[in-house]
PDB file of all heavy atoms in Angstrom:
ATOM      1  N   ARG A 295      74.481 163.115  93.283  1.00  0.00           N
ATOM      2  CA  ARG A 295      75.509 162.944  92.252  1.00  0.00           C
ATOM      3  C   ARG A 295      76.710 163.813  92.572  1.00  0.00           C
ATOM      4  O   ARG A 295      76.567 164.944  93.020  1.00  0.00           O
ATOM      5  CB  ARG A 295      74.971 163.323  90.887  1.00  0.00           C
ATOM      6  CG  ARG A 295      73.976 162.342  90.359  1.00  0.00           C
ATOM      7  CD  ARG A 295      73.899 162.413  88.850  1.00  0.00           C
ATOM      8  NE  ARG A 295      72.875 161.505  88.384  1.00  0.00           N
ATOM      9  CZ  ARG A 295      73.091 160.229  88.106  1.00  0.00           C
ATOM     10  NH1 ARG A 295      74.288 159.719  88.218  1.00  0.00           N
ATOM     11  NH2 ARG A 295      72.107 159.456  87.689  1.00  0.00           N
ATOM     12  N   LYS A 296      77.872 163.255  92.312  1.00  0.00           N
ATOM     13  CA  LYS A 296      79.110 164.010  92.471  1.00  0.00           C
ATOM     14  C   LYS A 296      79.155 165.059  91.359  1.00  0.00           C
ATOM     15  O   LYS A 296      78.953 164.733  90.193  1.00  0.00           O
ATOM     16  CB  LYS A 296      80.290 163.040  92.376  1.00  0.00           C
ATOM     17  CG  LYS A 296      81.613 163.634  92.669  1.00  0.00           C
ATOM     18  CD  LYS A 296      82.673 162.541  92.655  1.00  0.00           C
ATOM     19  CE  LYS A 296      84.037 163.147  92.896  1.00  0.00           C
ATOM     20  NZ  LYS A 296      85.086 162.149  92.838  1.00  0.00           N
ATOM     21  N   GLN A 297      79.403 166.298  91.701  1.00  0.00           N
ATOM     22  CA  GLN A 297      79.399 167.380  90.717  1.00  0.00           C
ATOM     23  C   GLN A 297      80.508 167.227  89.686  1.00  0.00           C
ATOM     24  O   GLN A 297      80.303 167.481  88.507  1.00  0.00           O
ATOM     25  CB  GLN A 297      79.526 168.745  91.410  1.00  0.00           C
ATOM     26  CG  GLN A 297      78.305 169.114  92.225  1.00  0.00           C
ATOM     27  CD  GLN A 297      77.042 169.164  91.379  1.00  0.00           C
ATOM     28  OE1 GLN A 297      77.035 169.665  90.271  1.00  0.00           O
ATOM     29  NE2 GLN A 297      75.951 168.618  91.915  1.00  0.00           N
ATOM     30  N   GLU A 298      81.686 166.779  90.130  1.00  0.00           N
ATOM     31  CA  GLU A 298      82.828 166.662  89.226  1.00  0.00           C
ATOM     32  C   GLU A 298      82.650 165.541  88.197  1.00  0.00           C
ATOM     33  O   GLU A 298      83.182 165.606  87.103  1.00  0.00           O
ATOM     34  CB  GLU A 298      84.139 166.389  89.998  1.00  0.00           C
ATOM     35  CG  GLU A 298      84.456 167.352  91.124  1.00  0.00           C
ATOM     36  CD  GLU A 298      83.727 166.998  92.421  1.00  0.00           C
ATOM     37  OE1 GLU A 298      83.941 165.913  92.972  1.00  0.00           O
ATOM     38  OE2 GLU A 298      82.921 167.836  92.859  1.00  0.00           O
ATOM     39  N   ASP A 299      81.953 164.505  88.595  1.00  0.00           N
ATOM     40  CA  ASP A 299      81.749 163.364  87.696  1.00  0.00           C
ATOM     41  C   ASP A 299      80.370 162.791  87.991  1.00  0.00           C
ATOM     42  O   ASP A 299      80.186 162.032  88.933  1.00  0.00           O
ATOM     43  CB  ASP A 299      82.834 162.308  87.903  1.00  0.00           C
ATOM     44  CG  ASP A 299      82.784 161.213  86.857  1.00  0.00           C
ATOM     45  OD1 ASP A 299      81.731 161.040  86.211  1.00  0.00           O
ATOM     46  OD2 ASP A 299      83.799 160.515  86.680  1.00  0.00           O
ATOM     47  N   ARG A 300      79.403 163.135  87.177  1.00  0.00           N
ATOM     48  CA  ARG A 300      78.003 162.797  87.452  1.00  0.00           C
ATOM     49  C   ARG A 300      77.703 161.305  87.361  1.00  0.00           C
ATOM     50  O   ARG A 300      76.608 160.874  87.672  1.00  0.00           O
ATOM     51  CB  ARG A 300      77.092 163.618  86.543  1.00  0.00           C
ATOM     52  CG  ARG A 300      77.309 165.114  86.830  1.00  0.00           C
ATOM     53  CD  ARG A 300      76.270 166.050  86.352  1.00  0.00           C
ATOM     54  NE  ARG A 300      74.896 165.664  86.371  1.00  0.00           N
ATOM     55  CZ  ARG A 300      74.064 165.774  87.416  1.00  0.00           C
ATOM     56  NH1 ARG A 300      74.501 166.213  88.559  1.00  0.00           N
ATOM     57  NH2 ARG A 300      72.806 165.447  87.288  1.00  0.00           N
ATOM     58  N   ARG A 301      78.676 160.523  86.950  1.00  0.00           N
ATOM     59  CA  ARG A 301      78.480 159.065  86.932  1.00  0.00           C
ATOM     60  C   ARG A 301      78.488 158.493  88.340  1.00  0.00           C
ATOM     61  O   ARG A 301      77.975 157.413  88.567  1.00  0.00           O
ATOM     62  CB  ARG A 301      79.572 158.378  86.108  1.00  0.00           C
ATOM     63  CG  ARG A 301      79.523 158.696  84.639  1.00  0.00           C
ATOM     64  CD  ARG A 301      80.704 158.095  83.944  1.00  0.00           C
ATOM     65  NE  ARG A 301      81.926 158.692  84.485  1.00  0.00           N
ATOM     66  CZ  ARG A 301      83.163 158.286  84.214  1.00  0.00           C
ATOM     67  NH1 ARG A 301      83.360 157.265  83.424  1.00  0.00           N
ATOM     68  NH2 ARG A 301      84.205 158.882  84.732  1.00  0.00           N
ATOM     69  N   PHE A 302      79.088 159.221  89.279  1.00  0.00           N
ATOM     70  CA  PHE A 302      79.221 158.719  90.644  1.00  0.00           C
ATOM     71  C   PHE A 302      78.085 159.225  91.516  1.00  0.00           C
ATOM     72  O   PHE A 302      77.790 160.424  91.550  1.00  0.00           O
ATOM     73  CB  PHE A 302      80.569 159.132  91.245  1.00  0.00           C
ATOM     74  CG  PHE A 302      81.718 158.428  90.616  1.00  0.00           C
ATOM     75  CD1 PHE A 302      82.420 159.008  89.572  1.00  0.00           C
ATOM     76  CD2 PHE A 302      82.088 157.170  91.046  1.00  0.00           C
ATOM     77  CE1 PHE A 302      83.479 158.361  88.974  1.00  0.00           C
ATOM     78  CE2 PHE A 302      83.148 156.510  90.458  1.00  0.00           C
ATOM     79  CZ  PHE A 302      83.851 157.096  89.418  1.00  0.00           C
ATOM     80  N   MET A 303      77.465 158.278  92.236  1.00  0.00           N
ATOM     81  CA  MET A 303      76.318 158.588  93.083  1.00  0.00           C
ATOM     82  C   MET A 303      76.684 158.258  94.538  1.00  0.00           C
ATOM     83  O   MET A 303      76.949 157.106  94.871  1.00  0.00           O
ATOM     84  CB  MET A 303      75.134 157.736  92.646  1.00  0.00           C
ATOM     85  CG  MET A 303      73.863 158.048  93.338  1.00  0.00           C
ATOM     86  SD  MET A 303      73.110 159.545  92.736  1.00  0.00           S
ATOM     87  CE  MET A 303      72.499 159.020  91.158  1.00  0.00           C
ATOM     88  N   MET A 304      76.709 159.298  95.385  1.00  0.00           N
ATOM     89  CA  MET A 304      76.986 159.114  96.808  1.00  0.00           C
ATOM     90  C   MET A 304      75.677 158.746  97.506  1.00  0.00           C
ATOM     91  O   MET A 304      74.635 159.341  97.239  1.00  0.00           O
ATOM     92  CB  MET A 304      77.555 160.412  97.405  1.00  0.00           C
ATOM     93  CG  MET A 304      77.853 160.340  98.882  1.00  0.00           C
ATOM     94  SD  MET A 304      79.156 159.163  99.303  1.00  0.00           S
ATOM     95  CE  MET A 304      80.597 160.021  98.697  1.00  0.00           C
ATOM     96  N   VAL A 305      75.744 157.760  98.398  1.00  0.00           N
ATOM     97  CA  VAL A 305      74.563 157.312  99.141  1.00  0.00           C
ATOM     98  C   VAL A 305      74.820 157.551 100.621  1.00  0.00           C
ATOM     99  O   VAL A 305      75.874 157.190 101.152  1.00  0.00           O
ATOM    100  CB  VAL A 305      74.280 155.810  98.885  1.00  0.00           C
ATOM    101  CG1 VAL A 305      73.016 155.368  99.625  1.00  0.00           C
ATOM    102  CG2 VAL A 305      74.169 155.521  97.391  1.00  0.00           C
ATOM    103  N   ARG A 306      73.833 158.162 101.285  1.00  0.00           N
ATOM    104  CA  ARG A 306      73.922 158.470 102.716  1.00  0.00           C
ATOM    105  C   ARG A 306      72.668 157.973 103.426  1.00  0.00           C
ATOM    106  O   ARG A 306      71.587 157.973 102.848  1.00  0.00           O
ATOM    107  CB  ARG A 306      73.975 159.978 102.931  1.00  0.00           C
ATOM    108  CG  ARG A 306      75.210 160.660 102.500  1.00  0.00           C
ATOM    109  CD  ARG A 306      75.129 162.174 102.824  1.00  0.00           C
ATOM    110  NE  ARG A 306      76.418 162.812 102.722  1.00  0.00           N
ATOM    111  CZ  ARG A 306      77.032 163.065 101.574  1.00  0.00           C
ATOM    112  NH1 ARG A 306      76.465 162.748 100.454  1.00  0.00           N
ATOM    113  NH2 ARG A 306      78.218 163.643 101.568  1.00  0.00           N
ATOM    114  N   LEU A 307      72.820 157.627 104.693  1.00  0.00           N
ATOM    115  CA  LEU A 307      71.659 157.322 105.532  1.00  0.00           C
ATOM    116  C   LEU A 307      70.915 158.616 105.840  1.00  0.00           C
ATOM    117  O   LEU A 307      71.537 159.654 106.070  1.00  0.00           O
ATOM    118  CB  LEU A 307      72.091 156.707 106.858  1.00  0.00           C
ATOM    119  CG  LEU A 307      72.513 155.250 106.874  1.00  0.00           C
ATOM    120  CD1 LEU A 307      73.002 154.868 108.272  1.00  0.00           C
ATOM    121  CD2 LEU A 307      71.392 154.348 106.434  1.00  0.00           C
TER     122      LEU A 307
END
Side-chain angles (χ1 to χ4, degrees):
R295 289 203 183 272
K296 187 175 178 182
Q297 292 301 318
E298 307 83 62
D299 189 340
R300 299 197 36 85
R301 293 174 298 172
F302 290 95
M303 186 76 73
M304 179 64 72
V305 182
R306 290 182 166 73
L307 283 176

